[in-house]
PDB file of all heavy atoms in Angstrom:
ATOM      1  N   GLN A  28      -5.913   7.929  -1.460  1.00  0.00           N
ATOM      2  CA  GLN A  28      -6.373   9.304  -1.669  1.00  0.00           C
ATOM      3  C   GLN A  28      -7.847   9.308  -2.033  1.00  0.00           C
ATOM      4  O   GLN A  28      -8.628  10.106  -1.504  1.00  0.00           O
ATOM      5  CB  GLN A  28      -5.577   9.975  -2.787  1.00  0.00           C
ATOM      6  CG  GLN A  28      -4.212  10.487  -2.393  1.00  0.00           C
ATOM      7  CD  GLN A  28      -3.613  11.357  -3.476  1.00  0.00           C
ATOM      8  OE1 GLN A  28      -3.956  12.516  -3.620  1.00  0.00           O
ATOM      9  NE2 GLN A  28      -2.711  10.789  -4.262  1.00  0.00           N
ATOM     10  N   THR A  29      -8.233   8.431  -2.956  1.00  0.00           N
ATOM     11  CA  THR A  29      -9.631   8.352  -3.380  1.00  0.00           C
ATOM     12  C   THR A  29     -10.538   7.988  -2.213  1.00  0.00           C
ATOM     13  O   THR A  29     -11.637   8.536  -2.062  1.00  0.00           O
ATOM     14  CB  THR A  29      -9.781   7.316  -4.507  1.00  0.00           C
ATOM     15  OG1 THR A  29      -8.936   7.681  -5.609  1.00  0.00           O
ATOM     16  CG2 THR A  29     -11.225   7.236  -4.986  1.00  0.00           C
ATOM     17  N   GLU A  30     -10.071   7.068  -1.374  1.00  0.00           N
ATOM     18  CA  GLU A  30     -10.864   6.629  -0.224  1.00  0.00           C
ATOM     19  C   GLU A  30     -10.716   7.551   0.977  1.00  0.00           C
ATOM     20  O   GLU A  30     -11.369   7.346   1.996  1.00  0.00           O
ATOM     21  CB  GLU A  30     -10.446   5.208   0.166  1.00  0.00           C
ATOM     22  CG  GLU A  30     -10.741   4.166  -0.910  1.00  0.00           C
ATOM     23  CD  GLU A  30     -10.288   2.772  -0.521  1.00  0.00           C
ATOM     24  OE1 GLU A  30      -9.464   2.658   0.418  1.00  0.00           O
ATOM     25  OE2 GLU A  30     -10.751   1.798  -1.153  1.00  0.00           O
ATOM     26  N   ARG A  31      -9.834   8.557   0.857  1.00  0.00           N
ATOM     27  CA  ARG A  31      -9.570   9.523   1.941  1.00  0.00           C
ATOM     28  C   ARG A  31      -9.104   8.827   3.224  1.00  0.00           C
ATOM     29  O   ARG A  31      -9.415   9.254   4.333  1.00  0.00           O
ATOM     30  CB  ARG A  31     -10.803  10.396   2.206  1.00  0.00           C
ATOM     31  CG  ARG A  31     -11.303  11.111   0.958  1.00  0.00           C
ATOM     32  CD  ARG A  31     -12.408  12.093   1.259  1.00  0.00           C
ATOM     33  NE  ARG A  31     -11.918  13.272   1.981  1.00  0.00           N
ATOM     34  CZ  ARG A  31     -11.285  14.301   1.414  1.00  0.00           C
ATOM     35  NH1 ARG A  31     -11.053  14.297   0.096  1.00  0.00           N
ATOM     36  NH2 ARG A  31     -10.891  15.312   2.128  1.00  0.00           N
ATOM     37  N   ASP A  32      -8.349   7.760   3.038  1.00  0.00           N
ATOM     38  CA  ASP A  32      -7.726   7.055   4.156  1.00  0.00           C
ATOM     39  C   ASP A  32      -6.314   7.627   4.297  1.00  0.00           C
ATOM     40  O   ASP A  32      -5.332   7.067   3.787  1.00  0.00           O
ATOM     41  CB  ASP A  32      -7.688   5.549   3.881  1.00  0.00           C
ATOM     42  CG  ASP A  32      -7.286   4.751   5.110  1.00  0.00           C
ATOM     43  OD1 ASP A  32      -6.616   5.328   6.004  1.00  0.00           O
ATOM     44  OD2 ASP A  32      -7.616   3.549   5.179  1.00  0.00           O
ATOM     45  N   TRP A  33      -6.211   8.756   4.997  1.00  0.00           N
ATOM     46  CA  TRP A  33      -4.968   9.533   4.986  1.00  0.00           C
ATOM     47  C   TRP A  33      -3.843   8.846   5.730  1.00  0.00           C
ATOM     48  O   TRP A  33      -2.669   9.006   5.356  1.00  0.00           O
ATOM     49  CB  TRP A  33      -5.235  10.924   5.563  1.00  0.00           C
ATOM     50  CG  TRP A  33      -6.333  11.636   4.841  1.00  0.00           C
ATOM     51  CD1 TRP A  33      -7.529  12.064   5.348  1.00  0.00           C
ATOM     52  CD2 TRP A  33      -6.362  11.994   3.448  1.00  0.00           C
ATOM     53  NE1 TRP A  33      -8.289  12.649   4.372  1.00  0.00           N
ATOM     54  CE2 TRP A  33      -7.599  12.624   3.196  1.00  0.00           C
ATOM     55  CE3 TRP A  33      -5.459  11.832   2.394  1.00  0.00           C
ATOM     56  CZ2 TRP A  33      -7.954  13.095   1.935  1.00  0.00           C
ATOM     57  CZ3 TRP A  33      -5.817  12.295   1.133  1.00  0.00           C
ATOM     58  CH2 TRP A  33      -7.040  12.926   0.920  1.00  0.00           C
ATOM     59  N   GLU A  34      -4.149   8.076   6.798  1.00  0.00           N
ATOM     60  CA  GLU A  34      -3.080   7.373   7.519  1.00  0.00           C
ATOM     61  C   GLU A  34      -2.370   6.379   6.605  1.00  0.00           C
ATOM     62  O   GLU A  34      -1.133   6.330   6.564  1.00  0.00           O
ATOM     63  CB  GLU A  34      -3.643   6.651   8.746  1.00  0.00           C
ATOM     64  CG  GLU A  34      -4.105   7.569   9.865  1.00  0.00           C
ATOM     65  CD  GLU A  34      -5.574   7.946   9.730  1.00  0.00           C
ATOM     66  OE1 GLU A  34      -6.154   7.705   8.631  1.00  0.00           O
ATOM     67  OE2 GLU A  34      -6.140   8.473  10.707  1.00  0.00           O
ATOM     68  N   LYS A  35      -3.147   5.588   5.855  1.00  0.00           N
ATOM     69  CA  LYS A  35      -2.540   4.614   4.945  1.00  0.00           C
ATOM     70  C   LYS A  35      -1.841   5.309   3.778  1.00  0.00           C
ATOM     71  O   LYS A  35      -0.812   4.835   3.289  1.00  0.00           O
ATOM     72  CB  LYS A  35      -3.599   3.640   4.430  1.00  0.00           C
ATOM     73  CG  LYS A  35      -4.103   2.670   5.497  1.00  0.00           C
ATOM     74  CD  LYS A  35      -5.083   1.665   4.907  1.00  0.00           C
ATOM     75  CE  LYS A  35      -5.554   0.680   5.966  1.00  0.00           C
ATOM     76  NZ  LYS A  35      -6.545  -0.292   5.412  1.00  0.00           N
ATOM     77  N   ALA A  36      -2.407   6.427   3.332  1.00  0.00           N
ATOM     78  CA  ALA A  36      -1.758   7.179   2.255  1.00  0.00           C
ATOM     79  C   ALA A  36      -0.393   7.682   2.713  1.00  0.00           C
ATOM     80  O   ALA A  36       0.594   7.614   1.965  1.00  0.00           O
ATOM     81  CB  ALA A  36      -2.639   8.351   1.828  1.00  0.00           C
ATOM     82  N   ILE A  37      -0.312   8.159   3.938  1.00  0.00           N
ATOM     83  CA  ILE A  37       0.959   8.644   4.486  1.00  0.00           C
ATOM     84  C   ILE A  37       1.959   7.501   4.607  1.00  0.00           C
ATOM     85  O   ILE A  37       3.134   7.632   4.239  1.00  0.00           O
ATOM     86  CB  ILE A  37       0.726   9.308   5.867  1.00  0.00           C
ATOM     87  CG1 ILE A  37      -0.060  10.609   5.696  1.00  0.00           C
ATOM     88  CG2 ILE A  37       2.051   9.567   6.584  1.00  0.00           C
ATOM     89  CD1 ILE A  37      -0.606  11.161   6.993  1.00  0.00           C
ATOM     90  N   ASP A  38       1.495   6.354   5.129  1.00  0.00           N
ATOM     91  CA  ASP A  38       2.382   5.198   5.309  1.00  0.00           C
ATOM     92  C   ASP A  38       2.968   4.739   3.979  1.00  0.00           C
ATOM     93  O   ASP A  38       4.176   4.508   3.859  1.00  0.00           O
ATOM     94  CB  ASP A  38       1.605   4.064   5.971  1.00  0.00           C
ATOM     95  CG  ASP A  38       2.452   2.813   6.139  1.00  0.00           C
ATOM     96  OD1 ASP A  38       3.478   2.877   6.839  1.00  0.00           O
ATOM     97  OD2 ASP A  38       2.099   1.774   5.548  1.00  0.00           O
ATOM     98  N   ASN A  39       2.138   4.632   2.957  1.00  0.00           N
ATOM     99  CA  ASN A  39       2.619   4.154   1.656  1.00  0.00           C
ATOM    100  C   ASN A  39       3.465   5.201   0.941  1.00  0.00           C
ATOM    101  O   ASN A  39       4.395   4.848   0.211  1.00  0.00           O
ATOM    102  CB  ASN A  39       1.438   3.725   0.790  1.00  0.00           C
ATOM    103  CG  ASN A  39       0.898   2.367   1.186  1.00  0.00           C
ATOM    104  OD1 ASN A  39       1.391   1.334   0.740  1.00  0.00           O
ATOM    105  ND2 ASN A  39      -0.109   2.354   2.050  1.00  0.00           N
ATOM    106  N   ALA A  40       3.168   6.470   1.148  1.00  0.00           N
ATOM    107  CA  ALA A  40       4.004   7.515   0.564  1.00  0.00           C
ATOM    108  C   ALA A  40       5.400   7.501   1.187  1.00  0.00           C
ATOM    109  O   ALA A  40       6.409   7.690   0.492  1.00  0.00           O
ATOM    110  CB  ALA A  40       3.348   8.886   0.758  1.00  0.00           C
ATOM    111  N   SER A  41       5.469   7.254   2.494  1.00  0.00           N
ATOM    112  CA  SER A  41       6.770   7.164   3.160  1.00  0.00           C
ATOM    113  C   SER A  41       7.561   5.957   2.649  1.00  0.00           C
ATOM    114  O   SER A  41       8.770   6.051   2.393  1.00  0.00           O
ATOM    115  CB  SER A  41       6.574   7.053   4.675  1.00  0.00           C
ATOM    116  OG  SER A  41       5.889   8.183   5.190  1.00  0.00           O
ATOM    117  N   ARG A  42       6.872   4.833   2.475  1.00  0.00           N
ATOM    118  CA  ARG A  42       7.542   3.638   1.953  1.00  0.00           C
ATOM    119  C   ARG A  42       8.006   3.856   0.516  1.00  0.00           C
ATOM    120  O   ARG A  42       9.091   3.429   0.129  1.00  0.00           O
ATOM    121  CB  ARG A  42       6.593   2.447   2.022  1.00  0.00           C
ATOM    122  CG  ARG A  42       6.270   1.996   3.449  1.00  0.00           C
ATOM    123  CD  ARG A  42       5.171   0.955   3.457  1.00  0.00           C
ATOM    124  NE  ARG A  42       5.570  -0.267   2.746  1.00  0.00           N
ATOM    125  CZ  ARG A  42       4.734  -1.239   2.411  1.00  0.00           C
ATOM    126  NH1 ARG A  42       3.446  -1.119   2.706  1.00  0.00           N
ATOM    127  NH2 ARG A  42       5.173  -2.313   1.782  1.00  0.00           N
ATOM    128  N   TYR A  43       7.170   4.547  -0.266  1.00  0.00           N
ATOM    129  CA  TYR A  43       7.549   4.823  -1.654  1.00  0.00           C
ATOM    130  C   TYR A  43       8.806   5.687  -1.715  1.00  0.00           C
ATOM    131  O   TYR A  43       9.690   5.456  -2.541  1.00  0.00           O
ATOM    132  CB  TYR A  43       6.395   5.524  -2.374  1.00  0.00           C
ATOM    133  CG  TYR A  43       6.708   5.892  -3.806  1.00  0.00           C
ATOM    134  CD1 TYR A  43       6.628   4.943  -4.817  1.00  0.00           C
ATOM    135  CD2 TYR A  43       7.102   7.187  -4.148  1.00  0.00           C
ATOM    136  CE1 TYR A  43       6.923   5.262  -6.131  1.00  0.00           C
ATOM    137  CE2 TYR A  43       7.398   7.517  -5.459  1.00  0.00           C
ATOM    138  CZ  TYR A  43       7.307   6.551  -6.445  1.00  0.00           C
ATOM    139  OH  TYR A  43       7.616   6.883  -7.738  1.00  0.00           O
ATOM    140  N   GLU A  44       8.897   6.663  -0.832  1.00  0.00           N
ATOM    141  CA  GLU A  44      10.085   7.518  -0.790  1.00  0.00           C
ATOM    142  C   GLU A  44      11.331   6.697  -0.446  1.00  0.00           C
ATOM    143  O   GLU A  44      12.408   6.918  -1.012  1.00  0.00           O
ATOM    144  CB  GLU A  44       9.883   8.642   0.229  1.00  0.00           C
ATOM    145  CG  GLU A  44      11.006   9.655   0.282  1.00  0.00           C
ATOM    146  CD  GLU A  44      10.703  10.789   1.244  1.00  0.00           C
ATOM    147  OE1 GLU A  44      10.613  10.505   2.460  1.00  0.00           O
ATOM    148  OE2 GLU A  44      10.554  11.933   0.793  1.00  0.00           O
ATOM    149  N   GLU A  45      11.175   5.728   0.451  1.00  0.00           N
ATOM    150  CA  GLU A  45      12.304   4.893   0.857  1.00  0.00           C
ATOM    151  C   GLU A  45      12.811   4.024  -0.293  1.00  0.00           C
ATOM    152  O   GLU A  45      14.016   3.912  -0.512  1.00  0.00           O
ATOM    153  CB  GLU A  45      11.903   4.009   2.037  1.00  0.00           C
ATOM    154  CG  GLU A  45      11.669   4.768   3.340  1.00  0.00           C
ATOM    155  CD  GLU A  45      11.185   3.839   4.438  1.00  0.00           C
ATOM    156  OE1 GLU A  45      11.136   2.611   4.198  1.00  0.00           O
ATOM    157  OE2 GLU A  45      10.847   4.334   5.533  1.00  0.00           O
ATOM    158  N   VAL A  46      11.882   3.410  -1.036  1.00  0.00           N
ATOM    159  CA  VAL A  46      12.310   2.447  -2.055  1.00  0.00           C
ATOM    160  C   VAL A  46      12.670   3.106  -3.380  1.00  0.00           C
ATOM    161  O   VAL A  46      13.445   2.555  -4.158  1.00  0.00           O
ATOM    162  CB  VAL A  46      11.234   1.373  -2.303  1.00  0.00           C
ATOM    163  CG1 VAL A  46      10.925   0.622  -1.025  1.00  0.00           C
ATOM    164  CG2 VAL A  46       9.970   1.973  -2.897  1.00  0.00           C
ATOM    165  N   SER A  47      12.117   4.293  -3.646  1.00  0.00           N
ATOM    166  CA  SER A  47      12.353   4.938  -4.943  1.00  0.00           C
ATOM    167  C   SER A  47      13.345   6.086  -4.865  1.00  0.00           C
ATOM    168  O   SER A  47      13.955   6.449  -5.872  1.00  0.00           O
ATOM    169  CB  SER A  47      11.033   5.459  -5.524  1.00  0.00           C
ATOM    170  OG  SER A  47      10.553   6.564  -4.774  1.00  0.00           O
ATOM    171  N   GLY A  48      13.485   6.679  -3.669  1.00  0.00           N
ATOM    172  CA  GLY A  48      14.344   7.843  -3.538  1.00  0.00           C
ATOM    173  C   GLY A  48      13.694   9.136  -3.983  1.00  0.00           C
ATOM    174  O   GLY A  48      14.299  10.212  -3.905  1.00  0.00           O
ATOM    175  N   GLU A  49      12.456   9.058  -4.453  1.00  0.00           N
ATOM    176  CA  GLU A  49      11.739  10.265  -4.902  1.00  0.00           C
ATOM    177  C   GLU A  49      11.170  11.001  -3.693  1.00  0.00           C
ATOM    178  O   GLU A  49      10.451  10.418  -2.886  1.00  0.00           O
ATOM    179  CB  GLU A  49      10.608   9.876  -5.852  1.00  0.00           C
ATOM    180  CG  GLU A  49       9.802  11.058  -6.364  1.00  0.00           C
ATOM    181  CD  GLU A  49       8.671  10.632  -7.283  1.00  0.00           C
ATOM    182  OE1 GLU A  49       8.750   9.515  -7.841  1.00  0.00           O
ATOM    183  OE2 GLU A  49       7.709  11.409  -7.431  1.00  0.00           O
ATOM    184  N   PRO A  50      11.451  12.301  -3.541  1.00  0.00           N
ATOM    185  CA  PRO A  50      10.931  13.050  -2.381  1.00  0.00           C
ATOM    186  C   PRO A  50       9.404  13.084  -2.382  1.00  0.00           C
ATOM    187  O   PRO A  50       8.786  13.391  -3.397  1.00  0.00           O
ATOM    188  CB  PRO A  50      11.517  14.452  -2.581  1.00  0.00           C
ATOM    189  CG  PRO A  50      12.670  14.277  -3.510  1.00  0.00           C
ATOM    190  CD  PRO A  50      12.305  13.139  -4.411  1.00  0.00           C
ATOM    191  N   MET A  51       8.822  12.777  -1.255  1.00  0.00           N
ATOM    192  CA  MET A  51       7.359  12.768  -1.123  1.00  0.00           C
ATOM    193  C   MET A  51       6.891  13.692  -0.004  1.00  0.00           C
ATOM    194  O   MET A  51       5.721  13.647   0.399  1.00  0.00           O
ATOM    195  CB  MET A  51       6.879  11.335  -0.848  1.00  0.00           C
ATOM    196  CG  MET A  51       7.199  10.341  -1.952  1.00  0.00           C
ATOM    197  SD  MET A  51       6.304  10.678  -3.480  1.00  0.00           S
ATOM    198  CE  MET A  51       4.657  10.160  -3.019  1.00  0.00           C
ATOM    199  N   GLY A  52       7.792  14.543   0.503  1.00  0.00           N
ATOM    200  CA  GLY A  52       7.463  15.379   1.652  1.00  0.00           C
ATOM    201  C   GLY A  52       6.277  16.296   1.422  1.00  0.00           C
ATOM    202  O   GLY A  52       5.411  16.440   2.296  1.00  0.00           O
ATOM    203  N   LYS A  53       6.223  16.931   0.264  1.00  0.00           N
ATOM    204  CA  LYS A  53       5.132  17.873  -0.001  1.00  0.00           C
ATOM    205  C   LYS A  53       3.784  17.159  -0.038  1.00  0.00           C
ATOM    206  O   LYS A  53       2.775  17.675   0.463  1.00  0.00           O
ATOM    207  CB  LYS A  53       5.383  18.625  -1.312  1.00  0.00           C
ATOM    208  CG  LYS A  53       6.553  19.602  -1.247  1.00  0.00           C
ATOM    209  CD  LYS A  53       6.673  20.422  -2.506  1.00  0.00           C
ATOM    210  CE  LYS A  53       7.834  21.410  -2.416  1.00  0.00           C
ATOM    211  NZ  LYS A  53       7.643  22.379  -1.311  1.00  0.00           N
ATOM    212  N   LEU A  54       3.752  15.962  -0.631  1.00  0.00           N
ATOM    213  CA  LEU A  54       2.503  15.201  -0.681  1.00  0.00           C
ATOM    214  C   LEU A  54       2.111  14.706   0.708  1.00  0.00           C
ATOM    215  O   LEU A  54       0.936  14.775   1.098  1.00  0.00           O
ATOM    216  CB  LEU A  54       2.654  14.023  -1.640  1.00  0.00           C
ATOM    217  CG  LEU A  54       1.385  13.206  -1.908  1.00  0.00           C
ATOM    218  CD1 LEU A  54       0.300  14.079  -2.520  1.00  0.00           C
ATOM    219  CD2 LEU A  54       1.696  12.024  -2.811  1.00  0.00           C
ATOM    220  N   ILE A  55       3.082  14.217   1.465  1.00  0.00           N
ATOM    221  CA  ILE A  55       2.797  13.757   2.831  1.00  0.00           C
ATOM    222  C   ILE A  55       2.268  14.900   3.679  1.00  0.00           C
ATOM    223  O   ILE A  55       1.342  14.725   4.481  1.00  0.00           O
ATOM    224  CB  ILE A  55       4.062  13.134   3.455  1.00  0.00           C
ATOM    225  CG1 ILE A  55       4.414  11.815   2.747  1.00  0.00           C
ATOM    226  CG2 ILE A  55       3.870  12.890   4.953  1.00  0.00           C
ATOM    227  CD1 ILE A  55       5.734  11.219   3.175  1.00  0.00           C
ATOM    228  N   ALA A  56       2.830  16.102   3.504  1.00  0.00           N
ATOM    229  CA  ALA A  56       2.349  17.261   4.257  1.00  0.00           C
ATOM    230  C   ALA A  56       0.887  17.560   3.930  1.00  0.00           C
ATOM    231  O   ALA A  56       0.093  17.920   4.820  1.00  0.00           O
ATOM    232  CB  ALA A  56       3.217  18.485   3.952  1.00  0.00           C
ATOM    233  N   GLN A  57       0.501  17.410   2.661  1.00  0.00           N
ATOM    234  CA  GLN A  57      -0.905  17.609   2.299  1.00  0.00           C
ATOM    235  C   GLN A  57      -1.794  16.588   3.006  1.00  0.00           C
ATOM    236  O   GLN A  57      -2.884  16.927   3.504  1.00  0.00           O
ATOM    237  CB  GLN A  57      -1.078  17.499   0.780  1.00  0.00           C
ATOM    238  CG  GLN A  57      -0.469  18.630  -0.013  1.00  0.00           C
ATOM    239  CD  GLN A  57      -1.286  19.910   0.042  1.00  0.00           C
ATOM    240  OE1 GLN A  57      -2.355  19.953   0.657  1.00  0.00           O
ATOM    241  NE2 GLN A  57      -0.785  20.954  -0.582  1.00  0.00           N
ATOM    242  N   PHE A  58      -1.340  15.339   3.064  1.00  0.00           N
ATOM    243  CA  PHE A  58      -2.122  14.299   3.738  1.00  0.00           C
ATOM    244  C   PHE A  58      -2.252  14.599   5.234  1.00  0.00           C
ATOM    245  O   PHE A  58      -3.323  14.415   5.830  1.00  0.00           O
ATOM    246  CB  PHE A  58      -1.475  12.927   3.537  1.00  0.00           C
ATOM    247  CG  PHE A  58      -1.444  12.460   2.107  1.00  0.00           C
ATOM    248  CD1 PHE A  58      -0.560  11.468   1.698  1.00  0.00           C
ATOM    249  CD2 PHE A  58      -2.294  13.004   1.163  1.00  0.00           C
ATOM    250  CE1 PHE A  58      -0.533  11.024   0.389  1.00  0.00           C
ATOM    251  CE2 PHE A  58      -2.269  12.567  -0.163  1.00  0.00           C
ATOM    252  CZ  PHE A  58      -1.385  11.577  -0.545  1.00  0.00           C
ATOM    253  N   GLU A  59      -1.153  15.052   5.853  1.00  0.00           N
ATOM    254  CA  GLU A  59      -1.204  15.399   7.277  1.00  0.00           C
ATOM    255  C   GLU A  59      -2.165  16.563   7.509  1.00  0.00           C
ATOM    256  O   GLU A  59      -2.891  16.596   8.521  1.00  0.00           O
ATOM    257  CB  GLU A  59       0.196  15.754   7.782  1.00  0.00           C
ATOM    258  CG  GLU A  59       1.185  14.593   7.827  1.00  0.00           C
ATOM    259  CD  GLU A  59       0.905  13.597   8.945  1.00  0.00           C
ATOM    260  OE1 GLU A  59      -0.126  13.735   9.653  1.00  0.00           O
ATOM    261  OE2 GLU A  59       1.717  12.662   9.114  1.00  0.00           O
ATOM    262  N   CYS A  60      -2.198  17.504   6.599  1.00  0.00           N
ATOM    263  CA  CYS A  60      -3.128  18.628   6.731  1.00  0.00           C
ATOM    264  C   CYS A  60      -4.573  18.169   6.581  1.00  0.00           C
ATOM    265  O   CYS A  60      -5.475  18.728   7.233  1.00  0.00           O
ATOM    266  CB  CYS A  60      -2.800  19.714   5.703  1.00  0.00           C
ATOM    267  SG  CYS A  60      -1.303  20.660   6.080  1.00  0.00           S
ATOM    268  N   GLU A  61      -4.801  17.159   5.737  1.00  0.00           N
ATOM    269  CA  GLU A  61      -6.143  16.601   5.642  1.00  0.00           C
ATOM    270  C   GLU A  61      -6.552  15.994   6.988  1.00  0.00           C
ATOM    271  O   GLU A  61      -7.698  16.146   7.425  1.00  0.00           O
ATOM    272  CB  GLU A  61      -6.195  15.532   4.542  1.00  0.00           C
ATOM    273  CG  GLU A  61      -6.125  16.067   3.126  1.00  0.00           C
ATOM    274  CD  GLU A  61      -7.405  16.755   2.699  1.00  0.00           C
ATOM    275  OE1 GLU A  61      -8.465  16.532   3.342  1.00  0.00           O
ATOM    276  OE2 GLU A  61      -7.367  17.518   1.707  1.00  0.00           O
ATOM    277  N   LEU A  62      -5.616  15.304   7.626  1.00  0.00           N
ATOM    278  CA  LEU A  62      -5.909  14.763   8.961  1.00  0.00           C
ATOM    279  C   LEU A  62      -6.172  15.879   9.959  1.00  0.00           C
ATOM    280  O   LEU A  62      -7.091  15.790  10.788  1.00  0.00           O
ATOM    281  CB  LEU A  62      -4.722  13.914   9.437  1.00  0.00           C
ATOM    282  CG  LEU A  62      -4.633  12.478   8.942  1.00  0.00           C
ATOM    283  CD1 LEU A  62      -3.357  11.818   9.468  1.00  0.00           C
ATOM    284  CD2 LEU A  62      -5.851  11.678   9.369  1.00  0.00           C
ATOM    285  N   ALA A  63      -5.355  16.941   9.892  1.00  0.00           N
ATOM    286  CA  ALA A  63      -5.541  18.069  10.803  1.00  0.00           C
ATOM    287  C   ALA A  63      -6.912  18.715  10.608  1.00  0.00           C
ATOM    288  O   ALA A  63      -7.586  19.087  11.584  1.00  0.00           O
ATOM    289  CB  ALA A  63      -4.430  19.101  10.595  1.00  0.00           C
ATOM    290  N   GLU A  64      -7.335  18.854   9.358  1.00  0.00           N
ATOM    291  CA  GLU A  64      -8.666  19.407   9.079  1.00  0.00           C
ATOM    292  C   GLU A  64      -9.752  18.527   9.700  1.00  0.00           C
ATOM    293  O   GLU A  64     -10.727  19.034  10.269  1.00  0.00           O
ATOM    294  CB  GLU A  64      -8.881  19.503   7.569  1.00  0.00           C
ATOM    295  CG  GLU A  64      -8.012  20.533   6.861  1.00  0.00           C
ATOM    296  CD  GLU A  64      -8.644  21.917   6.855  1.00  0.00           C
ATOM    297  OE1 GLU A  64      -9.562  22.159   7.672  1.00  0.00           O
ATOM    298  OE2 GLU A  64      -8.197  22.751   6.050  1.00  0.00           O
ATOM    299  N   ARG A  65      -9.569  17.225   9.591  1.00  0.00           N
ATOM    300  CA  ARG A  65     -10.554  16.294  10.157  1.00  0.00           C
ATOM    301  C   ARG A  65     -10.619  16.435  11.679  1.00  0.00           C
ATOM    302  O   ARG A  65     -11.718  16.482  12.258  1.00  0.00           O
ATOM    303  CB  ARG A  65     -10.187  14.867   9.760  1.00  0.00           C
ATOM    304  CG  ARG A  65     -11.164  13.810  10.248  1.00  0.00           C
ATOM    305  CD  ARG A  65     -10.711  12.423   9.791  1.00  0.00           C
ATOM    306  NE  ARG A  65     -10.747  12.307   8.336  1.00  0.00           N
ATOM    307  CZ  ARG A  65     -10.248  11.276   7.671  1.00  0.00           C
ATOM    308  NH1 ARG A  65      -9.661  10.276   8.329  1.00  0.00           N
ATOM    309  NH2 ARG A  65     -10.331  11.221   6.359  1.00  0.00           N
ATOM    310  N   HIS A  66      -9.458  16.515  12.311  1.00  0.00           N
ATOM    311  CA  HIS A  66      -9.438  16.678  13.778  1.00  0.00           C
ATOM    312  C   HIS A  66     -10.000  18.039  14.191  1.00  0.00           C
ATOM    313  O   HIS A  66     -10.698  18.147  15.205  1.00  0.00           O
ATOM    314  CB  HIS A  66      -8.011  16.527  14.298  1.00  0.00           C
ATOM    315  CG  HIS A  66      -7.471  15.129  14.211  1.00  0.00           C
ATOM    316  ND1 HIS A  66      -8.130  14.046  14.737  1.00  0.00           N
ATOM    317  CD2 HIS A  66      -6.322  14.637  13.660  1.00  0.00           C
ATOM    318  CE1 HIS A  66      -7.429  12.938  14.524  1.00  0.00           C
ATOM    319  NE2 HIS A  66      -6.327  13.273  13.863  1.00  0.00           N
TER     320      HIS A  66
END
């Protein structure tokens, strides 16, 4: 997040959701929107 590397942030958030069971959808959506803004 600090480095604004949204692809890696999304990948690690998805992995975190898998191993912890904590929902990360809202955060991942924010990261995807950051990518959309960039495009």
Side-chain angles (χ1 to χ4, degrees):
Q28 281 191 79
T29 302
E30 296 179 343
R31 305 187 71 79
D32 190 336
W33 304 118
E34 290 91 346
K35 289 184 179 178
I37 292 167
D38 178 61
N39 282 275
S41 300
R42 292 171 63 192
Y43 178 80
E44 185 176 65
E45 291 176 5
V46 301
S47 70
E49 180 181 339
M51 298 293 287
K53 291 186 179 298
L54 186 60
I55 292 173
Q57 291 284 358
F58 296 160
E59 292 287 5
C60 287
E61 288 287 342
L62 278 177
E64 292 273 18
R65 182 180 295 171
H66 290 307

